[in-house]
Amino acid sequence: MKILVTGGAGYIGSHTTLLLLNAGYDVIVFDNFSNASAESIRQVEALTDKKTILIEGDIRSRKDLEEVFSNHKIDAVIHFAGLKAVGESVEQPLRYYENNVCGTVQLCEVMAEHGCRQIVFSSSATVYGDPHTTPIKEDFPLSATNPYGRSKLFVEEILKDLYISDAEWKVILLRYFNPVGAHESGRIGEDPSGIPNNLMPFIAQTAVGKREKLSIFGNDYDTHDGTGVRDYIHVVDLAEGHLKALEKLPDIKGVLTVNLGTGQGYSVLDMVKAFEKASGKKVPYVFAPRRNGDIAKCYADPAYAKKVLGWEAKRGIEEMCEDTWRWQSQNPNGYTY
Ligand code: NAD
Ligand code: UFG
């Protein structure tokens, strides 16, 4: 089976590509490298001893997409390509809508023209806004507080409309919680550009000495230690969820929406402690004011994923921290060779 992986050179895409190759899929990686390096795919190919078809292209370019679909008979698309920085999306909403929403529309148009109507989409727990309770189930009310989150909500709706218009479409919306960790080899991992927005890369860069200290945003939340609680999920578990989704795609009718989380919430301080233990390094921190738009608690009810995909996360917080540390300590400057 031939799978097109948009955004396949990125953090989650590269880990998923690795598993797809190992499982025997033919993989076309399609990425504009706006937030990735081709080095990730070189590492994936070395680790698997298999080749991808690596294409530099943009989902907003009809020409780029036409070329791929004309040259290859693609069975399904895993659609990771998108911009993902929440703060940046507030400053540059049109860029986010153009990339994430218009890009997806182009992709779906070209897919339909070429008779490919199976897609797995990277959605996010951000679509639940500030949930009234936890754990979060797939049928909870949806809302968004920033353009990034709205771009995910819009794309979910667009994909649902596609199925209403044409019952041949098969769509799986995967709502990820907080992906962290790296492949156990330490050769691929998360490589954020500039100052990391997310907790785990910030902790890792502090432990390795690239950042002086972590600012913990808020210690007065209604949580067990006052710091924010999230559902951190190992990126390899997440990647495995995509393989399960691919296997399920042909059997579904319409649109399937699934949370990918562990069901376990950890606070910022829990993560700091676990990381110090895994790395043997100190992570200096200070308490800072709450970050705008943050919520106290967010973790998944993962029961539906187990029921419909036969998937559940296997890797715990120790493995998440150990694997992040291996990647960070072996590649303190990310993919710079
Ligand atoms: P990432 O930035 O590492 O990967 C996204 C990839 O898409 C990058 O390689 C980038 O170069 C590529 N890309 C962006 N715009 C493109 C375009 N117009 N054409 C072609 N390629 C393009 O991010 P990630 O963490 O791997 O996230 C993958 C997907 O999962 C994204 O859609 C993201 O919104 C979603 N997601 C991520 C998280 C998270 O915390 N990492 C959480 C929930 C959802
Ligand atoms: N945090 C800090 N200091 C930092 C960074 C984060 O204290 O320097 C705290 C946050 O306040 C929050 C927790 O660490 O309590 C996690 O923050 P992240 O930025 O790592 O993750 P978020 O839960 O805010 O958001 C992430 C992605 C979103 C996605 C969401 C749900 O960035 O894109 O998970 O999947 F939508």
Side-chain angles (χ1 to χ4, degrees):
M1 266 183 73
K2 200 172 256 187
I3 310 300
L4 177 69
V5 183
T6 73
Y11 173 44
I12 308 168
S14 56
H15 287 82
T16 304
T17 296
L18 188 151
L19 297 196
L20 288 169
L21 290 174
N22 276 340
Y25 290 96
D26 293 326
V27 184
I28 303 174
V29 171
F30 181 90
D31 202 300
N32 69 357
F33 300 112
S34 58
N35 195 37
S37 157
E39 185 58 29
S40 64
I41 295 304
R42 281 193 280 276
Q43 292 295 332
V44 165
E45 291 181 342
L47 284 163
T48 55
D49 201 19
K50 295 197 166 117
K51 286 276 176 211
T52 63
I53 297 168
L54 177 58
I55 295 172
E56 178 164 1
D58 197 301
I59 53 166
R60 292 165 298 174
S61 159
R62 227 189 154 79
K63 184 175 149 283
D64 291 354
L65 290 168
E66 280 289 351
E67 213 169 294
V68 180
F69 280 87
S70 304
N71 292 333
H72 302 275
K73 173 91 196 71
I74 293 164
D75 296 290
V77 176
I78 306 185
H79 178 31
F80 292 108
L83 300 172
K84 63 166 185 177
V86 173
E88 191 181 68
S89 81
V90 176
E91 283 154 24
Q92 304 172 25
L94 297 181
R95 188 170 154 236
Y96 271 68
Y97 292 130
E98 207 237 338
N99 199 80
N100 295 4
V101 182
C102 301
T104 304
V105 170
Q106 291 279 348
L107 173 67
C108 292
E109 278 178 358
V110 177
M111 284 176 68
E113 280 164 24
H114 291 265
C116 174
R117 292 185 180 80
Q118 296 197 39
I119 185 167
V120 176
F121 173 62
S122 301
S123 189
S124 166
T126 194
V127 300
Y128 296 113
D130 192 352
H132 58 285
T133 177
T134 43
I136 300 171
K137 290 184 195 293
E138 285 82 354
D139 61 0
F140 273 27
L142 304 179
S143 69
T145 53
N146 57 69
Y148 166 72
R150 259 184 291 280
S151 78
K152 293 293 174 193
L153 271 182
F154 292 158
V155 170
E156 286 200 0
E157 294 301 322
I158 289 168
L159 293 173
K160 288 177 194 164
D161 285 341
L162 261 186
Y163 168 67
I164 293 169
S165 74
D166 175 353
E168 294 279 300
W169 277 91
K170 293 175 189 291
V171 177
I172 299 188
L173 307 174
L174 296 178
R175 293 182 179 151
Y176 314 153
F177 282 68
N178 289 56
V180 296
H183 186 255
E184 60 183 1
S185 64
R187 289 168 59 179
I188 56 171
E190 188 170 13
D191 182 20
S193 55
I195 301 170
N197 296 306
N198 295 117
L199 179 66
M200 194 58 143
F202 204 105
I203 290 180
Q205 291 193 8
T206 307
V208 88
K210 281 184 76 177
R211 312 263 157 222
E212 192 194 334
K213 56 180 182 295
L214 168 72
S215 293
I216 297 183
F217 302 137
N219 60 350
D220 57 352
Y221 284 109
D222 182 17
T223 61
H224 63 272
D225 60 18
T227 66
V229 165
R230 296 291 182 276
D231 187 338
Y232 297 94
I233 172 168
H234 196 295
V235 65
V236 176
D237 278 325
L238 196 64
E240 284 171 356
H242 289 75
L243 269 72
K244 292 287 188 189
L246 257 192
E247 286 165 23
K248 183 81 187 172
L249 259 183
D251 307 332
I252 66 166
K253 199 168 153 32
V255 181
L256 187 69
T257 305
V258 185
N259 284 340
L260 293 185
T262 66
Q264 173 81 47
Y266 289 108
S267 72
V268 178
L269 283 172
D270 292 335
M271 295 307 284
V272 169
K273 278 183 218 137
F275 201 88
E276 286 182 334
K277 188 159 174 242
S279 64
K281 300 280 176 192
K282 266 324 268 174
V283 178
Y285 64 82
V286 289
F287 290 117
R290 290 182 179 194
R291 184 172 65 178
N292 251 346
D294 272 357
I295 56 177
K297 270 190 238 167
C298 175
Y299 58 94
D301 182 335
Y304 192 58
K306 187 165 185 194
K307 183 171 166 220
V308 293
L309 299 181
W311 171 91
E312 63 185 328
K314 298 193 282 269
R315 294 163 181 83
I317 186 174
E318 295 83 10
E319 223 169 325
M320 297 179 204
C321 294
E322 281 162 14
D323 290 340
T324 302
W325 178 241
R326 194 173 304 108
W327 155 253
Q328 182 68 62
S329 53
Q330 288 178 14
N331 308 271
N333 297 313
Y335 291 115
T336 42
Y337 292 86

